[in-house]
Each structure stands twice: as structure tokens, then as C-alpha cells.
Amino acid sequence: MDFDALPPFTLIRSRPSAVGAQRLRARKMCKRTVRLRVGIRLVLALLIHGFVDQTPPVSSVYHGIVGESPQMAEIFTRIDKVAVGDVNVCIYGESGTGKELIARAIHYASPRRDRPLITLDCTTIPEGLMESHLFGHVKGAFTGATEHREGVFALAHTGSLFIDELGELSPRLQAKLLRVIQTREFSKVGGTKPIRTDIRLITATNKDLKAAVAQGLFREDLYYRIAVFMIKVPALRERPDDIPRLVDHFLRRFAGLYGKRITKVAPATLERMLELPWPGNVRQLENFLEQAVVLAEGDTLTDRDLFAGDFSSVAGPTLSGLFEAGLPLGEVERRHILRTLHKVRGNRTEAARLLQISVRCLQYKLKAYGRDIDGAAGSGLGLVPSQQYLRS
């Protein structure tokens, strides 16, 4: 072809036409490839969906809290609702029910999750040092104050502060705490400069604070400040459906910790465990299983591993008789503490360790029990009960 003889416009149109055809063919090939890939994925998805359940398994662990019972599901719902804001939360429940775990769940589900979470246990600190632990002190504020120290309100700034067993605070410190909650300011012990604090306050107690308010033991205005949102934690005996899950959870943990190949609890033994009142709640169950894993020799825990020694000698063939049905909870706790003290021959430090409470808390309880025992005419019983008293 003689291109020089063609009109100029013909030459100009012929070249883009070839390029356009090539682009069109490439575009069609691309569309076919995309349709083919989508079709293959769709077929595979339909095949898999037809034979395999794609629904992810429901986890029984929520922020480290184990439970699937309706009571715990309600608590998880309340945690999700309250975590998004900064409202003060008060967690109420018996010792050993996992109140600190709930406080941690609230913090780590909140916008402050990347900020510090500071915990203060009011039962472990002497009364004279509590104010310093709360607000800090300056050097020379009191005897032994050799350096400046920050309190938990300063350490928890921009994060969350969890005060455990708040009911143990003295009326004087209750008033100081109320002022900090109201003004968001505090001063160190021995200092005069006000310090601003931005914290999310979470508290916990095993006492009925409403009853304490009625008895004049707890400030009513402070109660309404801390209990804007209440979460009541059920005792373990109120959610027995969770015991198998808890047993499985603790077994995996302790088996790995102690290098044991224990995988389960014998069905008959688990049934006996379900009958226990567990006055120490989840903490008692945890300690119970840890001891059993340490002593066990096989891959399945049986009555011999779990109900040896102290439990079997006291409870006999069935542990449902460890405490009579209908006993007040205070009496169940009293008997359990005194039995533990008897087991360690009166060693209060060891008893507190086994009970997972502070020595101060144990001494407080024993003082109350001592008054009851000493006041019983002709009882002749001290703080360490005799075998006859243990069976009462």
C-alpha cells in the first residue's frame, strides 16, 4: 500500500483503530478472567457451605472471665454497655467471685484500654498508710517518708482506678475520697498544691453497702457517687452450670504449668463437685483443682485426687454434707475459715494464703468469731476449733 497516496485523515484514523481493537480484546479477556475467578469462588463457597458449618464456635471466655450461664451472659452485656463511657461502676459480690476480672474487662473494653489500670486492695494496707497510698505523700510528711511518693490517683491518671473492698475504708478516708470524686482534685499527704486527676473509677465490695449506709458505717453521699452503675456478681453455687467450664479451664492451665497430662475429671467426681456449696467461690475451686493436679498421677482426676485428706475426713462419703442445707452464708464462711485454720495448726499467715485473703482480713474475721466463741457459755473453744467443733 502506498501510504503517501492516502489522504491525511485516513492515515490518522487507521493507526488508533488498530490500537483500540487491541485494547478492546484485552478488556474482554480481563472481564472473562474476573467472571471465571468469581464463579470458581462462588462454587467453592457453596460447596463448603453445604458440607461445613461456617459459624464460629461460641467462646466461653470473655475478657478472661469463664462462664456461659444466663447470669454471666447478663454480666457480659452490662460490661459492654458500661465500658463505652466513664460512669463510676461498683461491683458487688462475695469474696472469690471474680470482681477484679470484671473490673479489668470494663477497662480493656473501654476507650481507656491503652492507658494504665491501677488496683488498690483496701484489705492489704494498714489504716495509717491508706491515705498515702491513695493520694501520695511528700518527703518528710510523716515518720518514714524519706522520699516523694505518688498515690494511685496520680498513677491512674488518664486511665482507670480499681479500688477493691471499698467498704473497708474508714469514715475519714471516705470523706476524702468523696471530695476527690466531686472535684477531680486531691493533695498529697503533707502537700498543699492541688493536683488534677482524670480517672475512670471502678470499685468493688463484698459488703452490702446499702445495709452499711443504714447502719451508719458507710457514707450515703459516697455510696450514690460510686454506685452509679451496679454489677452484682453471682456466687458460684448460684451458677453451677459454669463449673464444668471452669474445671476444664483450670485443668488446662495447671496441667501445662506443672507438666501433667491431665485432660479431664471423672464424671462421678465432677457430679460430686457440682454438689459443693463452694463458700470460697471460683477462687476456692481454682485452689482445689491446683492442689489436685499437683497430687494426681494419672490423666484423669478422680475422687482420690480431689477429695483426699481434709475434705474426705470431714465430709465422709459425700461432700454435700460438708455444710447443712439452709445455713446462713456467714455461718458457712465462718466454718470454712475455722476449718482451714485448724488444718494449718493456727498459722494465720498460712491460713490467709490458702483462703486467698489478706492476713488483716483474716484477723478481722477471727476477731468477730472470737467474740462469738468466747461469749458462748461453757464452750471452752478458742479460735482454733477442736475436731468436735469442726463437725458441728
Side-chain angles (χ1 to χ4, degrees):
M1 178 182 294
D2 187 2
F3 289 101
D4 294 334
L6 293 175
F9 70 90
T10 306
L11 180 63
I12 293 173
R13 289 187 58 194
S14 63
R15 291 179 179 176
S17 176
V19 174
Q22 185 178 2
R23 289 179 178 176
L24 180 61
R25 286 194 297 272
R27 196 177 299 120
K28 290 181 178 179
M29 289 291 294
C30 183
K31 288 182 179 180
R32 292 194 194 102
T33 303
V34 170
R35 285 198 295 268
L36 180 61
R37 288 178 180 176
V38 171
I40 291 174
R41 290 177 182 176
L42 181 60
V43 171
L44 288 175
L46 290 173
L47 288 172
I48 293 173
H49 185 75
F51 296 100
V52 181
D53 184 5
Q54 291 281 311
T55 305
V58 178
S59 174
S60 62
V61 181
Y62 175 93
H63 286 280
I65 308 170
V66 180
E68 291 183 334
S69 61
Q71 299 96 317
M72 296 309 296
E74 174 63 22
I75 288 179
F76 299 157
T77 300
R78 292 179 69 81
I79 290 173
D80 287 336
K81 288 181 178 179
V82 77
V84 295
D86 274 343
V87 64
N88 295 336
V89 181
C90 183
I91 307 168
Y92 168 62
E94 296 178 12
S95 296
T97 50
K99 298 186 290 294
E100 184 172 353
L101 285 178
I102 292 175
R104 290 182 176 277
I106 293 172
H107 172 75
Y108 289 113
S110 75
R112 297 176 183 257
R113 65 179 66 89
D114 296 325
R115 308 305 300 166
L117 169 63
I118 304 298
T119 298
L120 177 70
D121 186 350
C122 295
T123 63
T124 61
I125 301 171
E127 174 65 25
L129 298 177
M130 181 60 74
E131 185 174 358
S132 173
H133 277 77
L134 283 169
F135 311 120
H137 64 255
V138 299
K139 184 178 180 179
F142 51 85
T143 303
T146 58
E147 59 184 3
H148 294 283
R149 176 173 178 172
E150 301 292 344
V152 293
F153 274 96
L155 296 173
H157 182 60
T158 71
S160 301
L161 174 59
F162 174 53
I163 302 180
D164 199 7
E165 300 305 344
L166 183 70
E168 301 292 332
L169 281 184
S170 66
R172 183 180 69 87
L173 289 177
Q174 290 178 26
K176 287 182 175 288
L177 178 61
L178 175 63
R179 177 169 177 78
V180 176
I181 295 174
Q182 290 174 332
T183 64
R184 296 292 175 174
E185 288 185 348
F186 67 93
S187 297
K188 291 185 177 182
V189 177
T192 57
K193 179 182 178 181
I195 302 171
R196 294 288 298 174
T197 181
D198 171 23
I199 56 107
R200 174 37 168 325
L201 182 63
I202 307 172
T203 58
T205 179
N206 62 6
K207 295 183 176 180
D208 186 345
L209 292 184
K210 281 190 176 180
V213 168
Q215 297 168 9
L217 302 176
F218 197 83
R219 293 181 63 104
E220 184 176 18
D221 46 4
L222 178 58
Y223 171 77
Y224 288 113
R225 283 286 186 176
I226 64 167
V228 178
F229 192 94
M230 289 287 295
I231 296 180
K232 186 179 184 303
V233 189
L236 185 57
R237 62 184 170 277
E238 297 172 1
R239 53 182 187 111
D241 293 346
D242 287 331
I243 291 179
R245 289 285 185 183
L246 287 163
V247 168
D248 183 61
H249 173 75
F250 290 132
L251 274 188
R252 288 198 305 269
R253 180 204 295 179
F254 295 132
L257 181 63
Y258 296 109
K260 299 292 188 75
R261 295 184 177 180
I262 301 171
T263 58
K264 61 181 179 179
V265 176
T269 302
L270 184 59
E271 287 296 323
R272 294 182 65 183
M273 294 177 68
L274 294 174
E275 296 175 358
L276 279 170
W278 300 108
N281 294 292
V282 179
R283 184 183 296 135
Q284 183 186 7
L285 175 64
E286 180 181 5
N287 295 340
F288 190 57
L289 287 167
E290 182 175 13
Q291 175 180 297
V293 169
V294 171
L295 297 175
E297 297 179 356
D299 61 356
T300 301
L301 294 183
T302 64
D303 288 8
R304 181 177 180 180
D305 303 309
L306 287 161
F307 300 129
D310 189 52
F311 273 97
S312 61
S313 62
V314 173
T318 174
L319 288 191
S320 59
L322 181 57
F323 302 106
E324 297 84 358
L327 277 179
L329 295 182
E331 177 63 11
V332 172
E333 181 187 70
R334 183 180 73 93
R335 294 191 184 189
H336 179 64
I337 288 176
L338 294 177
R339 281 192 175 102
T340 302
L341 194 63
H342 175 78
K343 177 182 178 180
V344 297
R345 301 180 182 275
N347 187 323
R348 297 186 180 190
T349 302
E350 180 65 13
R353 187 189 68 81
L354 292 174
L355 293 167
Q356 290 288 296
I357 61 176
S358 67
V359 176
R360 179 187 174 195
C361 180
L362 176 62
Q363 290 173 340
Y364 174 81
K365 292 179 180 297
L366 291 179
K367 184 178 179 181
Y369 302 159
R371 286 198 298 268
D372 294 340
I373 294 170
D374 294 339
S379 65
L381 295 172
L383 291 179
V384 181
S386 66
Q387 288 291 343
Q388 179 181 1
Y389 178 70
L390 287 175
R391 297 189 182 95
S392 64

